[in-house]
Amino acid sequence: LILPSFIKHYTYIRKHYHLTLFHGVNLLFLLTTLNAPSILGFKVYPGGFFLFIPMLLVAYGVFRSDFFDVNELLFQKNGMFYFLFALLSFVLIFISFGVSFGLSPDAYESAKWYPWGIPPVVSVFGAVFLSIIVAGANPSARINQLCAFALILTGFYVIQSVPLKLNISYVVQLRISQMTFVAFAFAPSIMVRLVFEAIGQKSPFWIQGIDILCVAAAILAPSPYLFVGYYDYPWSRVHHGGPAELLVGANGAIAILLVLFTFIRNKGYINFASKWIIGSFLLSAILLLAALFPSHGYPVYPLADFQFIPAFLLGYAVLRHGALSLEGRTIQLSQRLANLGLITMAIAAILYFPLIREQYGVGESAFHLTMIVLPLVLFNYLVVYIMSRPLAEELDISYFLLDLEKQKADEEREKALIAQDKAEEAREESEKLLLNILPYKVAQELKQKGSVTPSRIENVTVLFTDFKGFTKVAEGMDEQSLIEELDACFTQFDEIILRNNLEKLKTIGDSYMCAGGLPVGTRTSAIDACLAALEIQSFMNQLKEIKSTLGLPFWELRLGIHTGPVVAGVVGRFKFAYDIWGDTVNTASRMESGGETGKINVSQETYQLVKYFFVTEYRGKIHGKNKGDLDMYFVHRLRPRYSQDPDGKAPNQYFREVYSRITNGANIRWKNES
């Protein structure tokens, strides 16, 4: 009845509930019905004994479907922190009481406890201590909790190595190892997740395969398939690994290879702290895999007993190299309370030592006392970090609020200075904007008087440009590309005329107008205009060559220049515009329209002013609209004696010296025109 009902409403269930809930409920009923064969007398193991599996699935599905996200439960609400350390607290108390009441002096009759028992004891308690510090420092951080989990699992593995070095029943040794392997079986899954969290990447899809192998190994750990006997070595007894142990080792080897592949592929993007974390994982995994040799008859000391080395490297990486900051009064308060408990237990240990000294030797007494007291020391740290955290966090919040009030007071004092700076910036911005529209002298006059007096200026050189075939090329371009192309060209023109002392006046569609000798006449305006025209011509030629190579349409430019008197002034009240008027403007326009693409066309008046500096070509009289026949010339390049490049586009030092003399008022006498 249950299964058909679920199938009928499957679409609704999938939409509103997590699918794990669906599978968990069905498995719950299935396992319950599997009790029937044993009740009826058949020798079939009761499926109801495994009801914990569907119960976990149902609980997980309910959490994911209704209450809250498991990620929120484990990390944001510190669920992982409290779960891990509730379990760890139980284990530590169990170890302390087990050693205190379960070990007799006979357990130390074997000489294997010293010195072979010291490395695993250091590894166990070092890993657990680091896990408490790392997780307690920031319970909400995934990397801290994963690191703590990895350290605890490492500690669980090494725990089983300590009883093997004592003279106790092998059955007890076996059961302890089986219990620790239930937890340790999940080490590959946790360590791989830690590595990917450290490098800032999502866990890969193949990690689900690692998880499945971990679950299988954990299920097999309490079975007879974990170990199938033991070997006696000079340093300790070692379990003979069975299929379940090989499964754990194979899973770890797969995890190592996949992590190495990920590291090699992304090593250029991994920071220093993450490399330390990955390195500690690889070292830990190699030591664990090396433990397979003695468990299969090879007389090699189990290097896994030295797990405290990668554990310290991992803790160091997380605590000191950017993955975690230990700032704040939370850590300081917890540390002081923990130290107080540590002192108390140290005094108790000193008082207890003479009592056990009567039964054990000095070395045995110290080792026995260490295994009793160290779990209690770690339990003390654990309880202090859990119990003191809420109080310490409240203190941090209080101090934070006080600092916030102080910052507000400082901000109020700075506001006046900020407002003053903003007013100054606004004034400078407005002046920059004005200078972007008007020449400096005109802008100053406008600011002082509120208006600009029109003026007649002699010897102004006007330059016009216009793109030939602009309309035809523009028809094949979208609006955005057209504006971007035009803006790119005119931006280059702006920079060129600025370098050559010209003033931009306006653009009309695809036409560009500028002039030299504004707002005060100069003796070099014609030379400046021709130099700018050569630069513009060179830029357009380069652009044409690039576009031709790419097979793109290009624009060709006509340039016209004329020199003469103009009237200049500012028009408009709300949108200022600096402009010029007069026959000179019209004649310059005719020079442009009467020119040829790719060439610089100048008038007779401009020619007389630049002929000694530039190579020119007389074109004859060309008809200009409403102007009649006009003498026109092409300007090709600078004369060789004034040019620093073979093409005659850039002036040399000699030209600049002559130019400077003309600017300063000197009259130049030319010997000849060659």
Side-chain angles (χ1 to χ4, degrees):
L1 293 176
I2 293 294
L3 187 59
S5 177
F6 266 101
I7 294 174
K8 179 180 179 180
H9 300 287
Y10 178 78
T11 304
Y12 178 85
I13 293 170
R14 185 178 180 88
K15 182 177 179 182
H16 293 85
Y17 299 97
H18 197 269
L19 205 56
T20 310
L21 183 61
F22 170 81
H23 296 309
V25 172
N26 282 287
L27 186 60
L28 182 67
F29 282 96
L30 176 63
L31 292 178
T32 304
T33 58
L34 288 179
N35 283 341
S38 61
I39 294 174
L40 296 174
F42 296 97
K43 294 181 180 181
V44 178
Y45 194 81
F49 287 4
F50 295 97
L51 286 180
F52 68 92
I53 297 175
M55 288 177 183
L56 290 174
L57 292 176
V58 169
Y60 179 79
V62 170
F63 278 131
R64 292 298 301 270
S65 304
D66 189 23
F67 291 105
F68 42 74
D69 192 353
V70 173
N71 182 68
E72 180 183 3
L73 169 68
L74 294 181
F75 298 105
Q76 296 179 16
K77 295 184 179 298
N78 300 341
M80 176 74 79
F81 175 73
Y82 292 113
F83 168 75
L84 282 179
F85 292 113
L87 175 64
L88 187 58
S89 299
F90 172 78
V91 172
L92 291 172
I93 295 297
F94 177 81
I95 291 174
S96 183
F97 277 82
V99 173
S100 181
F101 298 105
L103 282 185
S104 67
D106 297 339
Y108 296 99
E109 288 181 356
S110 170
K112 295 176 182 178
W113 72 269
Y114 180 83
W116 311 113
I118 295 176
V121 169
V122 174
S123 294
V124 171
F125 295 113
V128 172
F129 176 75
L130 284 171
S131 71
I132 295 171
I133 297 296
V134 169
N138 191 354
S140 301
R142 283 180 61 89
I143 190 169
N144 291 65
Q145 300 316 306
L146 291 171
C147 176
F149 210 160
L151 288 167
I152 289 173
L153 293 180
T154 301
F156 267 105
Y157 173 82
V158 189
I159 283 175
Q160 58 96 29
S161 181
V162 178
L164 292 172
K165 295 172 175 58
L166 299 173
N167 187 27
I168 59 177
S169 169
Y170 178 70
V171 175
V172 175
Q173 295 174 341
L174 178 62
R175 294 294 177 256
I176 292 174
S177 297
Q178 287 176 323
M179 286 189 294
T180 57
F181 261 85
V182 171
F184 177 70
F186 293 95
S189 177
I190 297 300
M191 292 298 286
V192 170
R193 282 179 167 82
L194 172 61
V195 168
F196 279 90
E197 185 70 25
I199 64 178
Q201 293 187 8
K202 292 183 178 180
S203 298
F205 69 92
W206 47 258
I207 202 172
Q208 296 178 2
I210 301 290
D211 294 341
I212 293 172
L213 293 177
C214 289
V215 172
I219 293 173
L220 292 173
S223 73
Y225 300 106
L226 181 65
F227 301 117
V228 293
Y230 64 88
Y231 297 100
D232 265 323
Y233 294 115
W235 52 83
S236 73
R237 180 179 292 166
V238 175
H239 296 298
H240 181 189
E245 189 205 32
L246 289 175
L247 177 61
V248 175
N251 198 16
I254 294 170
I256 289 177
L257 294 176
L258 293 173
V259 167
L260 274 174
F261 174 74
T262 303
F263 172 73
I264 293 171
R265 191 173 63 176
N266 299 280
K267 62 181 179 180
Y269 307 99
I270 300 175
N271 61 31
F272 185 69
S274 299
K275 289 179 180 178
W276 272 80
I277 292 174
I278 295 171
S280 66
F281 160 72
L282 294 175
L283 177 59
S284 175
I286 291 170
L287 294 180
L288 291 169
L289 289 177
L292 292 173
F293 291 104
S295 68
H296 288 82
Y298 298 96
V300 178
Y301 184 81
L303 298 177
D305 286 357
F306 295 92
Q307 280 293 327
F308 64 87
I309 299 174
F312 286 139
L313 290 177
L314 180 59
Y316 176 75
V318 174
L319 292 172
R320 295 300 182 193
H321 284 279
L324 167 71
S325 173
L326 287 178
E327 298 176 358
R329 295 171 178 83
T330 299
I331 292 294
Q332 297 175 11
L333 178 62
S334 300
Q335 187 66 42
R336 290 172 183 173
L337 292 174
N339 290 341
L340 181 61
L342 182 62
I343 293 172
T344 304
M345 278 183 284
I347 295 173
I350 293 172
L351 296 176
Y352 184 59
F353 184 79
L355 299 178
I356 63 172
R357 177 69 180 84
E358 297 176 358
Q359 301 181 24
Y360 303 94
V362 176
E364 290 88 343
S365 299
F367 191 78
H368 189 75
L369 190 60
T370 298
M371 290 195 294
I372 294 174
V373 173
L374 271 182
L376 296 177
V377 169
L378 296 176
F379 178 74
N380 161 68
Y381 269 91
L382 192 58
V383 171
V384 166
Y385 268 78
I386 293 174
M387 300 300 293
S388 67
R389 173 161 290 281
L391 175 61
E393 288 179 346
E394 288 294 329
L395 286 175
D396 278 347
I397 292 172
S398 299
Y399 281 112
F400 172 76
L401 292 175
L402 288 174
D403 291 339
L404 190 61
E405 290 298 324
K406 182 180 178 182
Q407 290 176 7
K408 286 182 179 179
D410 293 338
E411 288 173 2
E412 289 297 329
R413 286 194 297 268
E414 292 176 2
K415 278 184 179 179
L417 294 174
I418 294 173
Q420 183 178 352
D421 291 341
K422 285 184 177 179
E424 183 66 22
E425 288 175 5
R427 187 189 65 79
E428 291 178 358
E429 195 66 30
S430 119
E431 187 165 341
K432 287 179 182 178
L433 184 60
L434 194 60
L435 290 174
N436 197 36
I437 300 171
L438 306 174
Y440 178 78
K441 183 179 178 182
V442 175
Q444 293 299 110
E445 183 180 352
L446 184 62
K447 286 197 300 182
Q448 293 172 5
K449 298 180 180 180
S451 62
V452 177
T453 304
S455 60
R456 177 182 173 85
I457 308 171
E458 304 293 337
N459 295 323
V460 171
T461 301
V462 181
L463 184 151
F464 270 99
T465 74
D466 185 69
F467 292 112
K468 180 185 177 183
F470 174 80
T471 304
K472 183 177 180 181
V473 175
E475 286 175 354
M477 302 174 66
D478 61 83
E479 295 85 350
Q480 183 69 24
S481 300
L482 174 64
I483 296 301
E484 289 177 355
E485 185 82 13
L486 203 57
D487 178 69
C489 289
F490 285 169
T491 298
Q492 289 295 326
F493 292 1
D494 289 344
E495 294 180 1
I496 290 170
I497 69 166
L498 185 63
R499 286 197 296 270
N500 290 281
N501 305 316
L502 304 180
E503 285 285 345
K504 178 182 178 180
L505 295 172
K506 55 188 169 184
T507 59
I508 307 169
D510 61 316
S511 297
Y512 187 95
M513 177 183 176
C514 61
L518 295 176
V520 180
T522 63
R523 304 181 67 196
T524 59
S525 65
I527 300 173
D528 295 333
C530 289
L531 288 174
L534 286 174
E535 276 198 65
I536 292 173
Q537 182 189 56
S538 178
F539 165 72
M540 292 303 297
N541 288 339
Q542 291 176 8
L543 191 62
K544 175 181 176 181
E545 183 178 347
I546 293 171
K547 287 185 173 290
S548 297
T549 304
L550 298 175
L552 299 174
F554 53 85
W555 293 328
E556 293 188 290
L557 194 70
R558 291 193 301 261
L559 293 98
I561 303 174
H562 174 61
T563 305
V566 299
V567 175
V570 175
V571 294
R573 287 186 61 187
F574 301 108
K575 292 186 177 179
F576 298 116
Y578 182 73
D579 208 348
I580 57 175
W581 299 268
D583 186 63
T584 298
V585 177
N586 297 329
T587 305
S589 177
R590 301 299 175 266
M591 292 298 114
E592 175 269 314
S593 60
E596 294 181 7
T597 56
K599 294 188 178 181
I600 303 167
N601 193 39
V602 302
S603 65
Q604 173 73 26
E605 289 77 8
T606 303
Y607 163 75
Q608 292 296 333
L609 296 171
V610 302
K611 62 183 179 180
Y612 297 109
F613 294 97
F614 297 90
V615 175
T616 59
E617 175 189 347
Y618 179 57
R619 301 182 59 200
K621 292 186 179 293
I622 309 294
H623 181 75
K625 183 179 178 181
N626 298 327
K627 296 297 293 181
D629 293 336
L630 300 172
D631 289 314
M632 298 187 187
Y633 298 79
F634 283 143
V635 173
H636 293 300
R637 51 163 293 165
L638 281 163
R639 291 183 180 272
R641 66 184 303 188
Y642 299 118
S643 174
Q644 73 173 22
D645 64 301
D647 295 331
K649 305 295 183 183
N652 59 16
Q653 185 60 35
Y654 179 59
F655 172 89
R656 298 184 189 284
E657 292 175 2
V658 175
Y659 180 91
S660 177
R661 293 176 188 174
I662 296 174
T663 302
N664 293 329
N667 292 318
I668 306 299
R669 295 179 179 271
W670 306 99
K671 294 181 180 180
N672 56 62
E673 299 183 10
S674 61

